Amino acid sequence: MTNTAGNLLDSVIGEDTHLADADLQTLLQLASLDAMRRAVALGLGVEGAQVLQVLLMLWQQRPVCRRSQAPYIVATLDAHLEDLTGLDTVRVHEGLRQLIGFVRVDDLDLYLSGDVELSLEPLLSGGDGDLGARLDRFWRVSHVRRRLEAMVEADEAIDTYLSQADARVPVAGREWLAVLQARWRRFEENRRFKAPFNAHEVVDHLSAFELEVVELEAIHDGLTGLLGRTCDYPVLFAERHPVSTGSRLQAMRARPHVTMRPVIKGRDRLVVIK
């Protein structure tokens, strides 16, 4: 893909994505629904729709290691399509013929003889061309909502730990406590994303947001190690709110989509220019 929409699609579900497993699977499902919607709206026949439905399911099931090399390719046999759709040979081949023009087929003779290999790229990147943007937005909002929940719980835990610190921290731990208290004060003074949270004010500034979450995580875990009681089952931030390495990398490389005004002193919320 060479256009802007295509590049964004690649960065979300294509060869340039960092996402894997559950996050990627959700986006592939959304992309499949969009592909089916568009194909039917553009006049794909009944047999073609049934074959495409199965091809999209096979596409979603591809292992990540194979998807990264050719993310939009689906390869199978007509006999396998017959088994999965319940259609006979004639109707499966009719469906394959109906799909020509919606997908890319590099070897038409093999394709029509039943050795099916095609690319979904034209179907995914066609039309209004904003599928990549919509998938990217869906992932951003989903990621931010999970991280905001984690931040709220971490804030509460830190407040609890600090309120107990003077009574519970032994002399040997006072120096480390002072470091964490100072770090927390700096964080509070400089934090960019603060309650009351609004996910839509964060999604377009994901890199900065993720860096702030990382700092909050470090302070939370430091206090947990210092003040957590074994009987209370203390857990690290990442254990309570697991996020895959791929999701964190995806967030760190995300580019802002809007411009933000400077934060006015005394205001808790971001002001975003749409």
Side-chain angles (χ1 to χ4, degrees):
M1 292 185 180
T2 57
N3 58 34
T4 302
N7 289 337
L8 182 54
L9 190 66
D10 281 343
S11 73
V12 181
I13 64 171
E15 58 189 10
D16 296 326
T17 187
H18 290 300
L19 298 177
D21 304 326
D23 285 330
L24 181 58
Q25 191 62 31
T26 297
L27 297 183
L28 295 180
Q29 290 169 1
L30 286 174
S32 295
L33 289 172
D34 190 79
M36 180 60 70
R37 174 188 62 82
R38 288 195 59 253
V40 172
L42 291 171
L44 182 63
V46 174
E47 292 84 359
Q50 288 179 271
V51 170
L52 177 59
Q53 185 179 44
V54 168
L55 290 172
L56 289 168
M57 291 298 295
L58 294 175
W59 177 58
Q60 293 176 46
Q61 293 172 0
R62 290 185 64 197
V64 173
C65 60
R66 290 176 57 198
R67 287 197 70 264
S68 62
Q69 299 168 7
Y72 310 111
I73 298 296
V74 184
T76 188
L77 298 173
D78 56 355
H80 192 35
L81 292 176
E82 293 171 29
D83 291 338
L84 292 172
T85 61
L87 301 176
D88 59 30
T89 302
V90 174
R91 296 185 68 194
V92 164
H93 280 257
E94 174 58 25
L96 291 172
R97 280 190 289 272
Q98 290 175 8
L99 278 175
I100 298 173
F102 292 89
V103 296
R104 188 179 72 239
V105 178
D106 293 330
D107 192 324
L108 190 59
D109 290 336
L110 280 177
Y111 175 82
L112 291 177
S113 69
D115 189 353
V116 179
E117 182 172 319
L118 57 86
S119 172
L120 297 167
E121 179 186 324
L123 193 54
L124 295 171
S125 63
D128 51 20
D130 70 347
L131 175 60
R134 284 183 279 122
L135 293 176
D136 181 52
R137 191 71 176 186
F138 183 92
W139 177 79
R140 284 172 181 254
V141 171
S142 300
H143 179 78
V144 164
R145 287 184 184 278
R146 291 194 296 268
R147 296 301 254 173
L148 288 179
E149 180 183 352
M151 291 182 80
V152 169
E153 292 190 15
D155 281 339
E156 293 172 351
I158 290 170
D159 287 340
T160 299
Y161 286 141
L162 292 177
S163 69
Q164 301 172 353
D166 290 336
R168 291 179 52 193
V169 175
V171 175
R174 293 285 172 174
E175 183 177 353
W176 177 227
L177 174 62
V179 170
L180 291 171
Q181 287 173 323
R183 192 168 177 178
W184 175 245
R185 285 194 298 271
R186 288 194 301 271
F187 178 79
E188 283 282 81
E189 291 170 0
N190 299 312
R191 71 188 301 175
R192 183 174 172 183
F193 307 99
K194 187 175 181 179
F197 291 119
N198 184 327
H200 295 289
E201 294 176 339
V202 180
V203 293
D204 295 310
H205 309 280
L206 209 50
S207 299
F209 173 68
E210 192 63 28
L211 285 174
E212 196 158 287
V213 176
V214 169
E215 176 65 8
L216 180 64
E217 177 178 355
I219 297 169
H220 171 275
D221 290 353
L223 288 169
T224 298
L226 186 63
L227 289 159
R229 296 180 186 271
T230 303
C231 59
D232 294 333
Y233 301 104
V235 293
L236 298 177
F237 184 96
E239 292 177 297
R240 190 184 300 276
H241 298 282
V243 175
S244 70
T245 300
S247 290
R248 292 183 65 174
L249 288 172
Q250 190 82 3
M252 294 302 296
R253 70 101 174 270
R255 297 179 179 179
H257 291 180
V258 297
T259 302
M260 189 181 70
R261 299 171 184 162
V263 177
I264 301 174
K265 188 175 182 180
R267 295 189 63 168
D268 288 337
R269 298 173 68 97
L270 295 175
V271 178
V272 180
I273 301 174
K274 297 298 183 182

